[in-house]
Amino acid sequence: MNKIRHIIAVRFLCFESNLGDKVLSKEYSHMGLHLMSNYLVPTLENQTNKNFEVVILVHPKLNLGAYKKKIISIGGTLNLDVVRFNKFDEYIKDAANTAENLIITRIDYDDLVWDGAVADAQKRIGLAPLYIYGYNRGYAWKEDDDKIMAFYQEYKKRGHMSIFQSAIIQTNDPDVVGIHPYKWNHTKPMESHHVQAISKDKVKYEPNYT
């Protein structure tokens, strides 16, 4: 069994509720692939700590075979897999059997983080059965005005947690296995009923704005 397994999970065209079926269009998916290729892939390839894998979570209605080929083709040197979003809970529970500490990190396909983001998250293993951590050094693409935003400034102002947020789990505790960043509100993880169902002494939360 490994000491650490770090999964970076990226939603691709999932839960864009304001767009409806537009997310399934060829035009919108091509834009998503372009952003992933130019933002997400380089920012993860540049990480100083390479001990992680990337799972792209695709919309349940997308053609998995076709998009898996397209996504892997732009994935560069990343250790990358493609999974339907509705199968991710099962994927995480299986992963928990492979390591003493499981880190599941959420980032969007149009975001960038500094090259120490992965290393920073992994420094926090062992601090609690469930350690919820937000890393805020990076940038996000704003679709409404097509600009890059420093999210560690903007998100602190809004009270958001982070765009690069992690659930750092000790897998020997069954109460926390299965928790991941898509189980909570993007901005208020401690208000999630999934998190609140866990004993408070097992959970620590750190939104790092430094």
Side-chain angles (χ1 to χ4, degrees), residues 9-196:
V10 185
R11 292 187 306 183
F12 182 72
L13 309 183
C14 291
F15 294 98
E16 307 273 8
S17 57
N18 58 316
L19 299 173
D21 288 339
K22 183 181 178 180
V23 299
L24 302 176
S25 70
K26 184 180 293 186
E27 177 185 3
Y28 201 81
S29 63
H30 282 179
M31 181 185 71
L33 289 167
H34 172 77
L35 291 168
M36 186 186 299
S37 177
N38 286 279
Y39 291 79
L40 177 77
V41 171
T43 204
L44 294 182
E45 284 187 314
N46 287 334
Q47 291 299 304
T48 57
N49 185 327
K50 308 293 185 184
N51 183 24
F52 65 91
E53 59 200 84
V54 182
V55 175
I56 306 298
L57 304 174
V58 298
H59 194 290
K61 292 183 180 179
L62 285 177
N63 184 320
L64 183 62
Y67 276 93
K68 187 168 185 175
K69 289 181 180 178
K70 291 178 182 179
I71 290 169
I72 289 177
S73 72
I74 65 172
T77 61
L78 297 175
N79 177 8
L80 190 149
D81 198 2
V82 181
V83 175
R84 292 194 188 281
F85 187 85
N86 58 343
K87 299 294 183 180
F88 189 53
D89 285 356
E90 181 180 342
Y91 187 95
I92 288 301
K93 288 180 181 178
D94 289 342
N97 294 320
T98 66
E100 297 173 13
N101 299 277
L102 179 63
I103 304 175
I104 309 102
T105 297
R106 166 183 179 167
I107 186 174
D108 291 339
Y109 59 83
D110 55 358
D111 294 337
L112 306 96
V113 288
W114 290 9
D115 61 6
V118 168
D120 194 64
Q122 292 187 14
K123 289 177 182 177
R124 285 160 171 79
I125 64 167
L127 297 180
L130 171 61
Y131 196 88
I132 299 173
Y133 179 61
Y135 181 90
N136 282 279
R137 294 180 178 178
Y139 300 87
W141 176 68
K142 295 179 68 178
E143 182 179 5
D144 52 351
D145 55 11
D146 196 24
K147 292 181 179 179
I148 296 295
M149 171 186 71
F151 65 72
Y152 59 91
Q153 297 171 355
E154 184 71 18
Y155 274 57
K156 181 177 182 180
K157 182 173 66 178
R158 297 184 193 177
H160 287 209
M161 178 187 175
S162 169
I163 292 179
F164 194 83
Q165 52 187 267
S166 300
I168 304 169
I169 292 167
Q170 296 175 3
T171 60
N172 63 353
D173 191 327
D175 290 344
V176 300
V177 170
I179 296 293
H180 57 77
Y182 293 109
K183 289 284 191 182
W184 61 63
N185 181 285
H186 191 80
T187 63
K188 299 177 180 179
M190 300 304 288
E191 294 184 8
S192 163
H193 69 275
H194 297 286
V195 176
Q196 291 181 349

